[in-house]
Amino acid sequence: MKTRQLLFTALAAGLIGASFGAAAYDADWKRGRIYYRSVCTACHAAQTGGSIAPSTMTMAQWESYLKADKHAAGKDSLKKYIGKDYRASIRAQNKAADKFADVPDAELLEDVKAFVIKGAKDGDAPASCS
């Protein structure tokens, strides 16, 4: 009987621990806004295409774009420009890249996603690039 009780207690503790460990990351749209405006917009503004405001697309269009993971007309992965390697390569010229140098890639991607979805044409707070 004690073995069964001990096994049940261990199993319950393991399930509780697993549920806390598997908790989803709660994206920080404000951090995403800083990164998007300071890194993405700065780069796009320097390119011939110009900056892209989140409000130029709907939430569904942003979701599709982010899911496709295609950037620069499909030449690169979008994740490349969120990744630590890219941030390290521009951190001397970009304060936001430097500030977020150690943020995990997946978290920063979720932050940027939260910002563009919130700032989308049909989002909670349509946003410009300023």
Side-chain angles (χ1 to χ4, degrees):
M1 187 64 147
K2 283 189 175 190
T3 305
R4 182 182 268 176
Q5 194 173 24
L6 183 61
L7 181 63
F8 177 75
T9 304
L11 181 62
L15 289 174
I16 291 170
S19 67
F20 284 115
Y25 171 69
D26 189 19
D28 181 352
W29 70 266
K30 291 179 182 179
R31 183 166 66 180
R33 177 182 61 191
I34 293 167
Y35 190 83
Y36 187 89
R37 288 183 175 173
S38 300
V39 177
C40 304
T41 299
C43 184
H44 280 262
Q47 304 297 320
T48 57
S51 60
I52 300 170
S55 61
T56 59
M57 292 198 276
T58 64
M59 291 187 294
Q61 288 170 320
W62 277 114
E63 290 280 356
S64 176
Y65 173 73
L66 294 166
K67 185 177 181 181
D69 190 32
K70 300 288 184 198
H71 190 66
K75 291 184 250 177
D76 295 322
S77 166
L78 177 64
K79 292 175 185 158
K80 171 184 174 181
Y81 298 98
I82 302 290
K84 286 184 179 183
D85 290 342
Y86 180 73
R87 285 178 267 157
S89 74
I90 64 167
R91 73 187 296 176
Q93 312 90 278
N94 191 294
K95 290 180 182 178
D98 186 46
K99 180 177 182 177
F100 302 134
D102 295 324
V103 174
D105 295 354
E107 284 184 17
L108 192 56
L109 181 61
E110 287 301 313
D111 295 342
V112 170
K113 179 180 177 180
F115 170 64
V116 296
I117 296 298
K118 182 179 181 70
K121 190 183 301 186
D122 57 346
D124 293 340
S128 65
C129 288
S130 60

